[in-house]
Amino acid sequence: MRLQPLEHIIEQRFESFLEPRLEHWFRRYLESPSGEAIISTILADVIVSWMRPGTNEDNYLETIVLDLVSRLKENPGFRERLLAIMSTKSSD
């Protein structure tokens, strides 16, 4: 019978404690206002970087954004936030 080193036993116990909880903690964080802000920022950066190379009128990602806005236009909270963002002056 071979005994496992103490470090290995501790590592296994720690993993068995941590692994089931990690996904729950991660999902809970992403559903929080901070997590939603991070997701929103990342998605905005991705969309902007995708939109930069093509400046023509038939830009696929611009069409997607316009479609999303048209789908959400009946949502008063979204409309108010969109108008607030669109009415602020750009710092560029």
Side-chain angles (χ1 to χ4, degrees):
M1 179 168 134
R2 186 168 176 245
L3 295 176
Q4 295 179 343
L6 183 60
E7 289 178 0
H8 186 68
I9 293 170
I10 292 172
E11 180 182 338
Q12 285 180 331
R13 294 236 175 150
F14 182 68
E15 284 178 6
S16 68
F17 168 80
L18 194 58
E19 283 180 4
R21 291 165 177 83
L22 274 177
E23 184 176 351
H24 173 70
W25 293 335
F26 187 65
R27 285 181 182 272
R28 191 171 53 181
Y29 173 73
L30 290 180
E31 292 171 355
S32 73
S34 299
E36 288 180 1
I38 287 174
I39 292 171
S40 174
T41 302
I42 290 169
L43 288 175
D45 288 344
V46 167
I47 289 172
V48 166
S49 64
W50 265 354
M51 291 176 80
R52 275 194 188 132
T55 57
N56 59 0
E57 292 295 321
D58 297 329
N59 188 318
Y60 182 65
L61 290 169
E62 185 175 311
T63 304
I64 291 172
V65 170
L66 293 174
D67 184 44
L68 286 171
V69 168
S70 68
R71 289 182 188 191
L72 293 170
K73 71 180 178 184
E74 299 303 320
N75 180 340
F78 170 77
R79 219 174 27 246
E80 290 168 7
R81 291 191 309 268
L82 181 63
L83 288 173
I85 289 170
M86 297 300 287
S87 63
T88 59
K89 291 190 176 192
S90 176
S91 60
D92 292 336

